[in-house]
Amino acid sequence: MKNTILVTGATGQVGQYLVQALHNMGYQDVILAVRDPNKLSSAPFTTILMDYDKPETIKSALIGIDSVFMMTGYTIDMLAQSKIFIDIAKSSNVNYIVHLGACGDDNAQVAHWAWHQLIERYIEWSGIQFTHLRPESYMQNLLGYQGDDNLQKGILRSYFGNAVLSWVDYIDVAELAAHCLTSPKQHYGQIYRLGYETKSHHQIAQLLTKELGIPFQYKAEDPNEFWQHALNNNLELAYMKSIYDHFIAFSSGELDRTGMVFDNFQKITGKAPTTLKEFILKHQNRFK
């Protein structure tokens, strides 16, 4: 069957690895949706202009598309953007959406997790076939939370207190998504939670010390400092408040991921997921 795939967020932190994964698999029928085509001038696939805030570009991008990797920006605008996108996808006869959401059970009360789950429910309501991906904590956040390059030699920082988190590498999220997109019928209706090793930041500091031979210590920072930074810098406060709330929930012990690991990656890809040790050794130059 024809299965042309549209990848949204193709220049993003997960999207760039998804593009590479699809290319490595030898899959050809892929189109990359980007706001600035110049950013992917050397991409292995055709690019098309698409902006979630411009419905006419969504309509153009979805012409002839069968399957979509759907991810939106990290603001409350994701709710309206996603509804508009899904409505257009339905009218464009898209068959399948792999949605990149956020971690948590269905009763998640952290706002941005709930926003993603509302989007999941709307996809289901639309009648389009779906797979929902719910990644836990990204290993890349150890290098700098949400893109901030704030590493200091010998010091690991976070706002999570002593909470145990469940960890996943961007690359593994992308590879699992690639398998879903290229074999849709095997994954229809599934919710995959993606987290494959549990450790606190204190335990990760110990692992860094052991593997790199550099004394590392963990410094738990006050979530209130994060919130003050958001206020002082006029950041998008609806989303930032949600991030702050989840820092509070973890650091207070209300949320904990002890024992929360999943086995879907190996079952789907036939490979073991990336371990924290492997991630540290791969990125050791960033930690030193």
Side-chain angles (χ1 to χ4, degrees):
M1 289 180 60
K2 174 179 172 287
N3 182 32
T4 301
I5 297 168
L6 181 75
V7 177
T8 70
T11 61
Q13 294 168 320
V14 173
Q16 61 181 316
Y17 291 115
L18 174 56
V19 171
Q20 190 61 50
L22 291 167
H23 181 60
N24 291 344
M25 293 168 71
Y27 204 84
Q28 299 295 320
D29 294 329
V30 179
I31 297 174
L32 310 180
V34 293
R35 284 186 298 179
D36 181 1
N38 292 325
K39 286 186 177 181
L40 282 177
S41 57
S42 61
F45 304 114
T46 299
T47 61
I48 191 167
L49 179 68
M50 195 199 88
D51 187 329
Y52 274 108
D53 291 322
K54 298 178 179 178
E56 66 277 9
T57 68
I58 297 174
K59 291 178 183 178
S60 298
L62 288 175
I63 293 172
I65 296 298
D66 304 293
S67 299
V68 172
F69 176 73
M70 178 183 170
M71 66 168 295
T72 53
Y74 296 110
T75 71
I76 196 171
D77 292 341
M78 70 170 71
L79 291 170
Q81 290 170 341
S82 296
K83 181 184 185 301
I84 292 167
F85 183 90
I86 294 160
D87 289 341
I88 296 173
K90 182 176 176 63
S91 66
S92 301
N93 296 314
V94 169
N95 298 321
Y96 180 46
I97 294 176
V98 175
H99 174 251
L100 182 64
C103 58
D105 296 315
D106 283 341
N107 63 352
Q109 294 183 25
V110 173
H112 69 283
W113 298 354
W115 299 342
H116 279 294
Q117 291 180 16
L118 288 169
I119 294 166
E120 291 176 355
R121 298 295 87 78
Y122 194 71
I123 294 170
E124 294 169 19
W125 179 83
S126 76
I128 299 172
Q129 293 287 357
F130 66 87
T131 300
H132 303 318
L133 305 184
R134 296 184 185 175
E136 291 286 332
S137 297
Y138 288 124
M139 293 180 185
Q140 279 75 8
N141 289 343
L142 296 170
L143 304 175
Y145 193 72
Q146 295 195 333
D148 296 329
D149 191 359
N150 58 1
L151 276 174
Q152 290 180 259
K153 186 173 181 180
I155 299 177
L156 188 65
R157 301 174 182 271
S158 89
Y159 297 104
F160 287 100
N162 294 318
V164 171
L165 304 180
S166 183
W167 297 92
V168 62
D169 191 325
Y170 285 154
I171 293 174
D172 291 346
V173 175
E175 181 151 359
L176 190 141
H179 279 265
C180 294
L181 288 162
T182 56
S183 301
K185 289 185 178 180
Q186 297 179 27
H187 304 285
Y188 283 166
Q190 297 300 311
I191 298 175
Y192 293 132
R193 294 189 65 179
L194 316 178
Y196 305 111
E197 184 176 359
T198 55
K199 273 186 170 52
S200 68
H201 283 80
H202 178 70
Q203 291 171 317
I204 294 172
Q206 292 177 326
L207 184 61
L208 283 160
T209 299
K210 177 183 176 182
E211 296 301 328
L212 302 184
I214 299 172
F216 260 83
Q217 61 176 314
Y218 168 52
K219 181 178 179 181
E221 299 190 315
D222 185 350
N224 290 307
E225 294 178 4
F226 170 87
W227 180 239
Q228 195 59 52
H229 173 78
L231 292 173
N232 292 344
N233 290 274
N234 297 313
L235 302 181
E236 203 276 338
L237 293 185
Y239 185 74
M240 290 299 109
K241 179 60 164 57
S242 175
I243 297 294
Y244 168 74
D245 288 342
H246 104 295
F247 286 147
I248 292 293
F250 274 109
S251 61
S252 69
E254 178 185 347
L255 289 176
D256 185 81
R257 294 296 193 244
T258 299
M260 194 169 289
V261 293
F262 306 94
D263 62 359
N264 45 48
F265 185 81
Q266 186 138 12
K267 288 181 177 179
I268 292 169
T269 69
K271 300 189 297 187
T274 303
T275 65
L276 283 162
K277 176 181 176 179
E278 290 168 341
F279 181 84
I280 286 168
L281 292 176
K282 179 178 179 180
H283 298 278
Q284 59 183 291
N285 291 337
R286 295 282 302 278
F287 290 103
K288 290 181 177 179

